[in-house]
Amino acid sequence: MALIILFNANDIEKEKLRILCEKENVRLKLIGMEDVDQKVGYLAEIDGFEKIESKGEYLEEFDFTFAFFKDFEEKDLFAFIDKMRENNVVIDHKAGITPTNIKWTLRYLLEENDQEHKTMQIVEEINSYLEKASKIKKETGEENPEIAKSVKELNHYFQTAGEDFDIKVAKEFRDKIKNLVENL
């Protein structure tokens, strides 16, 4: 049976997801701040992982809801996420169980996922500014050379940064492109 492990959810989120899980024959496991130092494999009930004795505490940087998914086929996972949207179960931070992340602590998975989430938000903002610039280009027939140069630099950064990726640099690109577009 597929399993969703739900971290730090409020009562409304828990209830909405519980109802959906019951309808879809998915098991729901609730965890909280006290579990951040446990291995993901342990929380996902994978053989070979044992509980680590630790005292949980409130950690402001993890004050968001997070769900991770176990034993879903890919098509079933995407269908379930669609049903979450249809039922107004909004959980921005999500991940699937992988052979790599089962060895991580929940703390590390949350850090990685939150960084990825913030990066995707910046990418979406950049894309919205580029859409505006594209519309203006179509209307005027002229391309702004500063925006074109910034986009080229941005693409190069995203393609080559690898492990050196810095969200602050991505934010600087976003802000530069935003200012250029707003001043067209």
Side-chain angles (χ1 to χ4, degrees), residues 45-84:
E45 303 171 358
I46 296 172
D47 289 338
F49 290 90
E50 308 230 346
K51 183 174 182 152
I52 296 167
E53 292 304 320
S54 68
K55 293 182 180 178
E57 59 187 275
Y58 172 77
L59 299 165
E60 187 174 339
E61 67 265 33
F62 302 136
D63 194 12
F64 54 83
T65 303
F66 177 76
F68 52 110
F69 300 82
K70 178 185 176 208
D71 294 336
F72 280 83
E73 295 294 327
E74 187 174 341
K75 66 179 177 50
D76 297 332
L77 175 59
F78 289 116
F80 190 87
I81 290 172
D82 287 342
K83 288 178 184 172
M84 287 173 64

Side-chain angles (χ1 to χ4, degrees), residues 133-148:
S134 178
K135 285 180 185 176
I136 293 169
K137 178 183 170 185
K138 284 180 184 176
E139 291 169 3
T140 64
E142 295 179 27
E143 180 174 59
N144 180 298
E146 286 185 78
I147 293 175

Side-chain angles (χ1 to χ4, degrees), residues 13-176:
E13 293 167 327
K14 288 178 198 173
E15 185 61 13
K16 284 181 175 181
L17 191 54
R18 184 193 63 73
I19 291 167
L20 181 59
C21 285
E22 281 182 13
K23 279 189 214 173
E24 300 299 321
N25 197 31
V26 172
R27 198 160 61 91
L28 179 63
K29 178 179 180 178
L30 304 175
I31 61 173
M33 292 283 179
E34 67 276 5
D35 296 304
V36 296
D37 292 319
Q38 298 300 329
K39 296 283 186 182
V40 171
Y42 169 76
L43 296 170
E45 303 171 358
I46 296 172
D47 289 338
F49 290 90
E50 308 230 346
K51 183 174 182 152
I52 296 167
E53 292 304 320
S54 68
K55 293 182 180 178
E57 59 187 275
Y58 172 77
L59 299 165
E60 187 174 339
E61 67 265 33
F62 302 136
D63 194 12
F64 54 83
T65 303
F66 177 76
F68 52 110
F69 300 82
K70 178 185 176 208
D71 294 336
F72 280 83
E73 295 294 327
E74 187 174 341
K75 66 179 177 50
D76 297 332
L77 175 59
F78 289 116
F80 190 87
I81 290 172
D82 287 342
K83 288 178 184 172
M84 287 173 64
R85 279 190 208 101
E86 291 166 11
N87 287 275
N88 288 328
V89 180
V90 180
I91 300 172
D92 291 332
H93 292 74
K94 300 181 263 312
I97 297 293
T98 69
T100 300
N101 70 20
I102 63 172
K103 300 170 191 158
W104 296 351
T105 62
L106 177 59
R107 178 188 304 264
Y108 186 74
L109 178 59
L110 292 170
E111 288 168 351
E112 289 292 307
N113 186 271
D114 192 45
Q115 183 75 12
E116 183 179 304
H117 178 74
K118 288 174 180 171
T119 300
M120 292 309 299
Q121 286 179 315
I122 291 169
V123 168
E124 287 174 14
E125 289 177 47
I126 290 169
N127 285 337
S128 73
Y129 297 126
L130 294 178
E131 284 177 28
K132 288 178 187 175
S134 178
K135 285 180 185 176
I136 293 169
K137 178 183 170 185
K138 284 180 184 176
E139 291 169 3
T140 64
E142 295 179 27
E143 180 174 59
N144 180 298
E146 286 185 78
I147 293 175
K149 181 182 177 203
S150 294
V151 169
K152 188 174 182 178
E153 291 170 353
L154 170 75
N155 286 334
H156 181 264
Y157 179 72
F158 270 87
Q159 291 171 1
T160 61
E163 289 184 16
D164 295 327
F165 179 83
D166 184 345
I167 198 163
K168 291 176 189 166
V169 174
K171 286 179 180 179
E172 289 170 8
F173 276 112
R174 176 204 58 203
D175 294 343
K176 182 177 181 181

